[in-house]
Amino acid sequence: MRDRDIMSTKRGDNSKKRSTAHVHKRDVVSRVRYLYIALMLVGVLITLRILWVQLVSPAVRHNANILVEDVFRTKEIDAHRGAILTHDGEPLAISSLRYNVEMDFASEGIRKAADDTYRKNADSLSKLLALHFTSEDAETHGYKHITEEGYRKILHEQRSIGRNRSYKLFPRLVTIDEWNTLRNYPILNGNLGYVYYARSEEKRLYPLGDLARQVIGRHTSLRDENKKEIKGKGIEYFYNKQLQGSKGKTKEQWIAHGFWTRIEDPDNRLPEDGCNIITTIDAGIQRAADEALKEVLRQQNASFGVAIVMEVETGNILAMVNLGSGAERGVEYSERVENHALRSRMMPGSTMKLATAMALLEIGGYNLDTKVDTEHSRPGRSVKIGNAWVQDTHDAGEGTPDGRVTLVDAFAHSSNVYFAKAVYERFKDKPSEYTNFLAGLRFNDYVGMEAYGEERAKMLMAGTPEWNVNGSTSTRLPRLAYGYEIDMPPIHMITFFNGVANEGRMVAPRLVDRIERDGEVIERMPTVTLIPQMCSKRTLRLLDSCLVAASKRTSGKFNSLPTTFGCKTGTAQMWSTFTTHGTLDHKAMENGLNAKDEMYYGSIICTMPADKPKYTVLVGVCKQKMFGGDPYYGILMAGPVANNIMGYIYANDHSLHAHIEKPETPYSPTKIKAGNSGDVVEVSRKLSAKHSNNTEKKAYSRASIDSDGKSTVTGIDITTGKVPDVRGMGLSDALYLLESVGMEVSHSGYGSVRTQSIEAGTPLKSSNLKIELTLKP
């Protein structure tokens, strides 16, 4: 019984233990489950937070981006801008790297340097910088000069401030050669640690100075005094896309204050440098035209001047000079004012008579011998034509009883009355026939230079409402005939003359020949034909006669020109305003130009050579007539410049020179001087049709020539102690030979020795050492 109780008690204890263990296990599992759930919830919350940070939260994303950008950045790499070159390879505009130093005055090297050490280095650097950036250098480059004391003050003040991490130390950008020198100076050479950042910039340079600056232009826009945007111009602007190339891109990492280093990135790309623009400009002609025009502008106290040289067949602009006056006329002229050749519209004056003559010959029924009564018009004797009063500068009909002159003589004398009367009488009933003809020659249009800022020619058309505003056919038609009632830039008139010289084919002016990259032609600009045939071949032939007749009339102004040419001069009063820096010009234009201002545009257009023109030259000068005898006609103002330009062209273009024709049968001399064997043999071999040599190693020889031109060279025997035979020799050989044997020589005449007073072979004696030679051609 007792044992049973004991067994029962043990079973109860075991059961109780098992129950307690089960409770503990269940409690652990429950806790683990709760912990797992809690961890799961934390994980979900962390995941949600990450998603919030990355996808939703703008503040976190902004801060993250700032952090990344502080360490990494993507930077554009500028491409090297292409050059603008003349046709013969001289640089008009090029780009070059320049450097400036940004000093870090908060760098560790400067902060921790001993005061004495820093002062010593700063004093040395100040002295060297003042020696490098001199007052003359400041005047040349246009910055304020800094003295040695000034640099010393900057260096000490900036160190004392101690927080400026980007201070530009140099007063201007420096070249790579200058920088290689400057970086050896104290502080800049790293003796106080790396305390600067050399920042490179690209600078546009003009090696030829102002030469062709208006042709080059600029690619950037400017703002005038009224904050109005002024767009770029010229080749720089029109070809900006090709010149600027395409920028590259690189990723950089921050390594220290102000210093970044490039790192590899799949998005990195190298820049593609810009192309080179090869213009049609000839540097030599441009320079000659610039110098000649500048000299005349100073002499004339002119407002501005234009010179253009155009190649007839291609339309290539070989020179385009635009010189405007500074504030004071007659002192300084530069290309910085305006492209007057393309943008300044003016009445052309008598150069328009070539177009009038074309109309009369082509559709008016005229020929070179058609006469018109000029009524002996001259200054003070005007002729009424329609409702216009017209006069000539001199009597074109002088010497004729009735004042009637032919068309070719009227053109040579530049008779306003002839052309005004001829046009009015022929076209007064159908004025549109005349204006339509001129419009067909693009006198109311562009000539293909719009991209460079060309202004359109303006001419009122008969039959339009504007034609009868402030005028009528009876006034406009006569004046239009001699170059009034029409406004155009000089480029229009030279394009017309060039078309006449080009056998009637008018081509557009051409400023750019091709685009290149690394010597490879990317694009070649074509020659553009504006009018395939301006008029008939007959009319062109007659117009050539008119141009030559006019050149003969003005030949006194072109005495030094060794080639024939055709030309027409023109003089017209200026009524339209123009861009200028001149104080007097601005004063004249304050209320618009009028008759009392007496501002004139004198011009001349030449084609050379006359028989088959290769070049067309235009020169125009604008000036104010200041005194009674002050010259203002085209031949007096523009003629000397055209003469110098054409003289330069002729001297440098050998195709214009007369050529020596090679004869059908080669020249053979009839005689050759005797003398040194080597010289006689060489002359005989080069000049004779046939040659044989029998000198047998003799020191002296003579040559005989037969009827067939064959030369035979034979040696001359020289016997010791005897008088040598010097007949046929030149004087120098004869003197040398005779004096070498001790003889005293006298001579007369010139050429070769014909006779000698002592016969050859005579024994030499003390009594016969004097010899006389007679020379004849």
Side-chain angles (χ1 to χ4, degrees), residues 189-201:
N189 62 9
N191 64 331
L192 297 182
Y194 200 72
V195 299
Y196 63 84
Y197 176 69
R199 188 178 300 279
S200 62
E201 298 179 27

Side-chain angles (χ1 to χ4, degrees), residues 85-332:
L85 308 174
T86 65
H87 188 67
D88 37 349
E90 289 197 49
L92 291 170
I94 58 175
S95 291
S96 178
L97 285 179
R98 293 291 187 268
Y99 297 86
N100 208 335
V101 160
E102 295 181 0
M103 292 289 293
D104 182 5
F105 284 97
S107 67
E108 186 175 353
I110 286 183
R111 284 190 293 105
K112 292 186 176 182
D115 290 344
D116 289 344
T117 301
Y118 181 79
R119 182 168 54 253
K120 180 179 179 181
N121 282 277
D123 290 350
S124 297
L125 179 59
S126 300
K127 187 173 186 177
L128 291 169
L129 289 177
L131 288 172
H132 186 87
F133 299 105
T134 62
S135 57
E136 291 80 6
D137 183 79
E139 185 176 350
T140 300
H141 293 90
Y143 64 85
K144 186 177 180 181
H145 177 242
I146 303 174
T147 63
E148 178 183 341
E149 185 59 35
Y151 283 113
R152 186 180 295 111
K153 183 178 180 182
I154 290 170
L155 291 170
H156 288 291
E157 282 185 352
Q158 291 300 320
R159 190 198 186 210
S160 64
I161 294 172
R163 62 175 180 270
N164 198 339
R165 311 210 72 162
S166 180
Y167 185 89
K168 290 185 177 180
L169 184 61
F170 298 163
R172 63 169 174 83
L173 298 174
V174 297
T175 66
I176 182 64
D177 291 334
E178 287 181 297
W179 176 228
N180 286 334
T181 299
L182 292 164
R183 68 197 307 177
N184 293 318
Y185 290 179
I187 301 179
L188 299 180
N189 62 9
N191 64 331
L192 297 182
Y194 200 72
V195 299
Y196 63 84
Y197 176 69
R199 188 178 300 279
S200 62
E201 298 179 27
E202 194 170 64
K203 183 177 178 63
R204 203 64 166 163
L205 303 176
Y206 305 94
L208 300 184
D210 263 4
L211 211 64
R213 185 64 68 87
Q214 287 294 332
V215 171
I216 300 167
R218 52 177 169 76
H219 69 278
T220 55
S221 297
L222 301 175
R223 297 278 179 182
D224 62 13
E225 61 274 8
N226 299 319
K227 301 300 178 79
K228 182 181 178 182
E229 182 182 13
I230 305 174
K231 291 184 178 180
K233 58 183 180 179
I235 293 173
E236 291 274 25
Y237 181 74
F238 184 59
Y239 289 95
N240 184 50
K241 183 178 179 181
Q242 292 87 342
L243 284 165
Q244 70 181 1
S246 58
K247 294 183 176 182
K249 185 173 70 172
T250 184
K251 196 166 187 178
E252 295 182 337
Q253 181 177 352
W254 182 83
I255 58 174
H257 178 76
F259 299 96
W260 297 77
T261 185
R262 294 181 183 179
I263 60 174
E264 290 188 10
D265 190 88
D267 291 332
N268 287 354
R269 68 171 183 270
L270 293 173
E272 184 178 51
D273 289 341
C275 300
N276 292 336
I277 305 298
I278 315 301
T279 70
T280 60
I281 297 294
D282 183 294
I285 298 177
Q286 180 80 22
R287 193 177 288 110
D290 184 270
E291 292 173 357
L293 181 60
K294 197 170 290 182
E295 180 181 355
V296 167
L297 291 177
R298 291 195 183 104
Q299 293 173 354
Q300 299 288 340
N301 293 309
S303 298
F304 70 83
V306 175
I308 309 173
V309 179
M310 194 170 179
E311 194 172 53
V312 169
E313 187 174 355
T314 63
N316 287 349
I317 299 294
L318 304 179
M320 182 181 284
V321 181
N322 294 274
L323 293 174
S325 170
E328 185 179 354
R329 292 178 190 159
V331 177
E332 181 182 354

Side-chain angles (χ1 to χ4, degrees), residues 22-77:
H22 179 70
V23 171
H24 285 308
K25 181 179 180 181
R26 186 173 59 191
D27 185 53
V28 170
V29 171
S30 178
R31 289 181 179 182
V32 170
R33 184 181 293 115
Y34 290 140
L35 180 61
Y36 182 75
I37 291 171
L39 291 173
M40 288 288 291
L41 289 173
V42 170
V44 170
L45 290 174
I46 292 173
T47 302
L48 291 173
R49 183 59 178 170
I50 291 173
L51 293 174
W52 170 263
V53 168
Q54 292 186 346
L55 302 177
V56 180
S57 174
V60 174
R61 187 167 63 251
H62 175 70
N63 292 332
N65 289 337
I66 290 176
L67 181 62
V68 171
E69 289 174 0
D70 280 345
V71 179
F72 299 99
R73 70 180 182 184
T74 299
K75 184 180 179 182
E76 286 187 334
I77 307 173

